[in-house]
Amino acid sequence: MWILDGLEVTMVGSVASRLTEKGSGLALNPGQIGLAAAIYVLGACLGALFFGQLTDRFGRKKLFMLTLGV
């Protein structure tokens, strides 16, 4: 699971600078990129806390399959 998280962070880091370029289709400024990154990290932490408790209750395999479906 940590491999997927590492892949996501690497991909976001690779494209973030391109999203600030004129003509990128989004034309985000660096502050907006930073805000999006902060929201991403917050969501990952809250999701880990929430789903971590659920895995203790229902089992890791069942919850992993559920998160893949979501």
Side-chain angles (χ1 to χ4, degrees):
M1 202 62 191
W2 287 102
I3 293 172
L4 296 177
D5 290 337
L7 178 64
E8 291 171 3
V9 170
T10 302
M11 289 172 45
V12 170
S14 297
V15 300
S17 63
R18 303 283 294 174
L19 296 176
T20 60
E21 294 178 358
K22 191 172 186 173
S24 68
L26 294 176
L28 299 173
N29 65 42
Q32 291 169 320
I33 298 286
L35 178 63
I39 292 170
Y40 168 77
V41 170
L42 179 65
C45 291
L46 292 176
L49 289 172
F50 176 71
F51 283 106
Q53 289 181 348
L54 289 179
T55 57
D56 290 342
R57 184 174 296 150
F58 298 111
R60 183 170 303 274
K61 185 175 180 179
K62 288 180 184 176
L63 266 290
F64 181 71
M65 297 307 280
L66 175 68
T67 58
L68 285 178
V70 170

